[in-house]
Amino acid sequence: MAQRHLIGLVLATEEDWPSAFETVLRRLGPIEYAGETHEFQCERVLNEPFDLSYVPRFSLVIDRLSWWYDLPREWLKKTALMDNVYLLNNPFTFQAMEKHAAYCALMRLGLKVPTTWLIPHKLPPDNPRYVPMAERYNPTFDLERVADQVGYPLYMKPFDGGQWVGVTRITNADELRETYDNSGERLMHLQAAVEDFDVFTRSLSIGPQTRVMHFDPDAHGHYRYLVASDFLPPAVENEVATISRLVSAFFRWEFNSCETIVKEGEAHPIDYANASPDVALVSLHYYFPWAIESLVAWCAFATVTQRPMRINQSTGDYFEIADRGDLSYEEKLERYGRLADSYFQREEFDEFRATALADLPAVVLEYVESSEFDELVERAIRLEVEPERQDEMIDRCRSLTREWATDERARV
């Protein structure tokens, strides 16, 4: 009898990648591994009252909502602590390790994070106890002096932000004061800009699988991912990919994106606490099939092999390398990469893909070339994009995903 694995999807309003993920699993059908048959089903999780002692039916859950919505966040914590359910992203580090903690961690590991300062709130918390506390312990500080130490141009951005909300480029003291005055109760960072860079990248990591993409941060949101190859020397591309996997393994996030700026051959990670990454069809276009195939592969591996959920971080293993004064940056990064590969069971995963999922690439390719996928493109974009741009984006997405299919057929 086949073993059945139920995958839960905790979703916001997106319809594109969940539909594609469900369809690819259905088209893939049962798989064989180690002499046993395995079947997969998907179910979208409802946000309902729950008894803390009930046992969920899911083998694995993909979370896309809990960063913004408390109820599923607490359900995931209960599931991680009490039930044998695999979660792609650890809900405890996801909540605790916001941008600020992520900067601190990678600085501790010796990566080339730009100079960053945390500054007090412009407006105090709405709490009557704040005033006497502030009178005792909050000295007046010179904002412009801090900015001078960071250096212009710089960015002011929320310490826990997402989707680029509240991120402002600042070039002088007047802009600094105005932006800070408008920041309200948000706790903000000042971070040095990496000017005149060679390449801006965004890497998407799903388990041990990483795709480094050329990214234009100044373009419209649906035009930021550039279809390009060989935009980085192989050694630098490997460094950027290793940083992305390092972040994922360190924080126990298995579905995450990492922004890294490359200047004069050096990689500067600037934003990597993104454990609810952009996987929208209209944004990723050419790269969307890769994301869906990788997500299906990692979920299948984690469920079929009964990969255990990791709640605790093994930070000591990484810090031991960081503290080695006899190791160069390159040697440390290579060892971090080995730790990440071990965490993700990379050799075992590659063997699993080659045997149990040998048909998966063909399944994804046939789906992307099908009328069913074409209908998804139109349906998803009409749900997400403003009406005046829908036709343009549908045509663009169709063209680029067909280009991906053509490239895949040429590759195989």
Side-chain angles (χ1 to χ4, degrees):
M1 180 179 294
Q3 294 192 39
R4 292 182 171 84
H5 308 280
L6 180 61
I7 297 174
L9 307 180
V10 177
L11 303 173
T13 59
E14 66 265 53
E15 186 59 39
D16 45 8
W17 79 263
S19 295
F21 181 83
E22 292 162 344
T23 302
V24 170
L25 272 183
R26 172 176 54 79
R27 285 174 170 245
L28 178 65
I31 67 171
E32 301 291 328
Y33 184 70
E36 294 187 327
T37 302
H38 299 265
E39 297 177 349
F40 303 96
Q41 292 181 315
C42 274
E43 186 175 302
R44 301 188 182 194
V45 179
L46 301 178
N47 301 309
E48 299 178 301
F50 60 90
D51 179 351
L52 270 63
S53 63
Y54 98 103
V55 179
R57 297 173 292 111
F58 303 103
S59 300
L60 178 147
V61 172
I62 304 172
D63 166 43
R64 300 285 298 170
L65 179 62
S66 69
W67 181 254
W68 300 276
Y69 193 31
D70 291 341
L71 179 64
R73 180 185 297 181
E74 301 312 309
W75 179 77
L76 290 164
K77 289 179 185 175
K78 166 263 190 296
T79 300
L81 289 170
M82 300 178 66
D83 308 307
N84 188 27
V85 177
Y86 196 86
L87 307 180
L88 255 58
N89 289 333
N90 185 318
F92 300 101
T93 61
F94 190 23
Q95 182 174 356
M97 298 294 181
E98 19 47 5
K99 308 290 185 184
H100 176 74
Y103 290 144
C104 295
L106 286 208
M107 287 179 173
R108 173 78 167 80
L109 296 179
L111 273 70
K112 301 167 186 176
V113 179
T115 299
T116 307
W117 282 60
L118 185 70
I119 57 176
H121 313 78
K122 172 62 180 179
L123 297 180
D126 185 14
N127 186 318
R129 299 173 69 91
Y130 172 82
V131 174
M133 181 280 295
E135 289 174 347
R136 295 183 187 182
Y137 302 115
N138 283 26
T140 301
F141 76 101
D142 188 338
L143 177 64
E144 292 180 26
R145 180 175 175 274
V146 173
D148 287 339
Q149 295 195 57
V150 174
Y152 293 105
L154 56 83
Y155 285 89
M156 185 180 293
K157 49 177 135 177
F159 86 107
D160 62 346
Q163 299 181 328
W164 292 33
V165 175
V167 178
T168 306
R169 177 183 167 84
I170 296 171
T171 61
N172 57 57
D174 290 339
E175 294 175 356
L176 174 73
R177 286 191 295 271
E178 180 182 1
T179 305
Y180 184 56
D181 288 345
N182 292 332
S183 65
E185 294 185 9
R186 299 201 74 168
L187 190 61
M188 307 295 278
H189 281 128
L190 297 182
Q191 185 172 81
V194 180
E195 289 292 281
D196 301 320
F197 57 81
D198 301 316
V199 181
F200 194 115
T201 73
R202 180 177 278 180
S203 308
L204 179 60
S205 284
I206 303 172
Q209 309 155 108
T210 297
R211 185 68 182 255
V212 180
M213 295 166 283
H214 198 176
F215 193 76
D216 181 359
D218 296 324
H220 183 281
H222 298 149
Y223 287 87
R224 288 177 178 158
Y225 293 94
L226 307 178
V227 179
S229 59
D230 302 326
F231 55 90
L232 288 175
V236 178
E237 182 175 0
N238 180 66
E239 177 182 359
V240 172
T242 301
I243 290 171
S244 188
R245 284 196 296 274
L246 162 62
V247 169
S248 295
F250 184 89
F251 292 114
R252 303 302 194 235
W253 301 336
E254 301 177 5
F255 192 13
N256 188 50
S257 66
C258 178
E259 291 176 4
T260 305
I261 292 177
V262 177
K263 180 179 179 179
E264 297 175 352
E266 292 194 338
H268 302 272
I270 62 163
D271 188 0
Y272 34 85
N274 300 304
S276 186
D278 179 11
V279 284
L281 172 58
V282 69
S283 300
L284 286 185
H285 45 77
Y286 181 92
Y287 301 105
F288 183 79
W290 177 90
I292 298 303
E293 181 178 328
S294 299
L295 190 58
V296 168
W298 183 246
C299 291
F301 173 76
T303 54
V304 168
T305 63
Q306 298 183 348
R307 177 174 159 85
M309 171 69 194
R310 272 80 160 182
I311 294 178
N312 298 323
Q313 295 174 263
S314 56
T315 54
D317 294 339
Y318 295 88
F319 292 156
E320 182 178 345
I321 295 171
D323 294 341
R324 289 278 302 273
D326 60 326
L327 296 178
S328 67
Y329 167 81
E330 291 76 15
E331 290 169 328
K332 289 180 180 180
L333 193 65
E334 191 272 335
R335 297 193 185 199
Y336 293 148
R338 276 191 256 158
L339 285 179
D341 286 346
S342 175
Y343 170 74
F344 286 119
Q345 301 174 269
R346 188 167 185 172
E347 289 186 5
E348 295 91 330
F349 172 72
D350 288 345
E351 185 273 335
F352 179 85
R353 281 208 65 164
T355 55
L357 297 178
D359 295 336
L360 178 60
V363 169
V364 174
L365 180 56
E366 290 172 7
Y367 171 51
V368 171
E369 293 177 327
S370 72
S371 60
E372 188 176 11
F373 183 79
D374 193 65
E375 291 166 3
L376 173 64
V377 169
E378 180 162 357
R379 184 173 73 252
I381 291 177
R382 294 206 184 280
L383 282 172
E384 182 173 342
V385 175
E386 56 271 25
E388 63 272 16
R389 297 182 62 250
Q390 288 176 0
D391 290 341
E392 171 195 353
M393 300 312 299
I394 289 170
D395 289 343
R396 181 172 184 267
C397 196
R398 280 175 172 158
S399 175
L400 289 171
T401 51
R402 288 169 184 164
E403 182 180 336
W404 173 87
T406 299
D407 289 346
E408 281 299 292
R409 289 210 175 274
R411 186 178 64 84
V412 299

